[in-house]
Amino acid sequence: MPVHRPGSPRPRRAFLAGALIAVCALVPITPASAAESPDATASATAGTTTNTPVTPTTPARGTARMGMGVAAHDGQDGLPTGTRAAQTEGVDVASYQGNVSWTTLWNSGVRWSYNKASEGTYYTNPYFSQQYTGAYGVGMIRGAYHFATPDTTSGATQANYFVDHGGGWSADGRTLPGTLDIEWNPYGDTCYGKSTSGMVSWIRDFLNQYKARTGRNAVIYTSTTWWSQCTGNYAGFSANPLWIARYASTAGTLPAGWSTYTMWQYTSSGPTVGDHDKFNGAPDRVQALAKG
């Protein structure tokens, strides 16, 4: 029969347990910090899983460039098959290409170029001088283009801005007429918030003012899909040379009003600068366009 002796540890253990409970009751319990709490952790990691949709970032004004939306809207389907003797290689460049190695391009067979001069009435290309004069310096025939933003100012206003900031023309046989780059809006609504008739009026306003300032018909750069959607496939600008955008083995169906293209942007991943083009004719035809 167990005998309880004086000094047995049981009363002592009970005393210590009671004391511990009392001490704990006096110590405040601090909640988990925001960084440590499960809800905060879930919040902090939300959006990092691979199946969460990502909203495209709108680019900064001024960063638009020729062909910026072609691959996304029309896709890419090969390159021109073979080399036609009746076509002349060219390139188009903007500020994102920086200082271009024109000698490298010339040695690879490139004979003409277009350089972005302006956008809207708020941007001029900081590399324009190097790009424009650099192409000329190696022997190329060169021209300038304007990225249109019909939702910001009128066509005539933008034509004036373009001519005043590098988009003019001279009868030196080495300067191509300016190009109106009219395509998908990288900053918002595809058709810049305009109806088809409103877009046609804006384009006409630009072209008329450009001709009034320079005496030349501006080149129109566009894609068939954009032109169909945003102008209703308007057929009234056939007097202006067409520069078609299509990354494929052929230029494909052209916008209404044109039976042939003058230039064709066929890739954005060509050598040296990415954006490469074909002029629909031998080098003497490029020079003929420059002369007017």
Side-chain angles (χ1 to χ4, degrees), residues 167-208:
W169 175 78
S170 59
D172 60 359
R174 298 279 302 282
T175 304
L176 293 160
T179 291
L180 171 64
D181 178 359
I182 185 79
E183 57 175 299
W184 292 281
N185 180 9
Y187 309 121
D189 178 73
T190 295
C191 300
Y192 301 85
K194 293 193 174 295
S195 64
T196 55
S197 60
M199 183 61 74
V200 169
S201 295
W202 191 96
I203 294 170
R204 183 183 295 111
D205 196 32
F206 182 100
L207 299 177
N208 287 346

Side-chain angles (χ1 to χ4, degrees), residues 206-220:
F206 182 100
L207 299 177
N208 287 346
Q209 185 62 16
Y210 185 83
K211 188 169 185 177
R213 289 286 305 273
T214 66
R216 295 299 307 271
N217 285 318
V219 176
I220 295 176

Side-chain angles (χ1 to χ4, degrees), residues 31 43 82 86 94-95 119 126 180 200 261 274 278 291:
S43 177
S95 62
E119 177 180 321
L180 171 64
V200 169
Y261 64 87
K278 299 287 187 186
K291 289 180 176 178

Side-chain angles (χ1 to χ4, degrees), residues 100 102-103 113 128-140 142:
V100 174
W102 292 108
T103 300
S113 73
F128 181 76
S129 179
Q130 189 277 344
Q131 294 174 348
Y132 195 67
T133 60
Y136 187 92
V138 298
M140 290 186 195
R142 51 47 166 148

Side-chain angles (χ1 to χ4, degrees), residues 26-251:
L26 294 173
V27 178
I29 299 173
T30 305
S33 68
E36 297 168 332
S37 69
D39 288 346
T41 303
S43 177
T45 58
T48 61
T49 56
T50 56
N51 60 353
T52 301
V54 177
T55 302
T57 302
T58 301
R61 287 275 177 178
T63 60
R65 62 184 185 274
M66 187 173 277
M68 193 170 186
V70 172
H73 290 85
D74 285 350
Q76 301 179 75
D77 185 23
L79 294 170
T81 53
T83 301
R84 289 177 50 189
Q87 291 188 325
T88 307
E89 191 75 7
V91 295
D92 57 271
V93 299
S95 62
Y96 81 101
Q97 284 129 325
N99 293 321
V100 174
S101 179
W102 292 108
T103 300
T104 299
L105 287 167
W106 177 266
N107 290 340
S108 71
V110 174
R111 293 296 178 262
W112 60 276
S113 73
Y114 267 89
N115 319 110
K116 181 180 179 182
S118 54
E119 177 180 321
T121 53
Y122 51 78
Y123 172 86
T124 56
N125 177 4
Y127 290 93
F128 181 76
S129 179
Q130 189 277 344
Q131 294 174 348
Y132 195 67
T133 60
Y136 187 92
V138 298
M140 290 186 195
I141 298 174
R142 51 47 166 148
Y145 78 83
H146 175 81
F147 192 94
T149 56
D151 57 341
T152 59
T153 46
S154 72
T157 299
Q158 291 192 33
N160 284 327
Y161 188 82
F162 178 41
V163 173
D164 293 340
H165 294 89
W169 175 78
S170 59
D172 60 359
R174 298 279 302 282
T175 304
L176 293 160
T179 291
L180 171 64
D181 178 359
I182 185 79
E183 57 175 299
W184 292 281
N185 180 9
Y187 309 121
D189 178 73
T190 295
C191 300
Y192 301 85
K194 293 193 174 295
S195 64
T196 55
S197 60
M199 183 61 74
V200 169
S201 295
W202 191 96
I203 294 170
R204 183 183 295 111
D205 196 32
F206 182 100
L207 299 177
N208 287 346
Q209 185 62 16
Y210 185 83
K211 188 169 185 177
R213 289 286 305 273
T214 66
R216 295 299 307 271
N217 285 318
V219 176
I220 295 176
Y221 169 96
T222 195
S223 80
T224 300
T225 53
W226 183 91
W227 191 263
S228 297
Q229 179 179 346
C230 296
T231 74
N233 208 19
Y234 181 73
F237 295 130
S238 59
N240 298 82
L242 173 66
W243 189 346
I244 192 68
R246 187 167 187 259
Y247 300 165
S249 58
T250 68

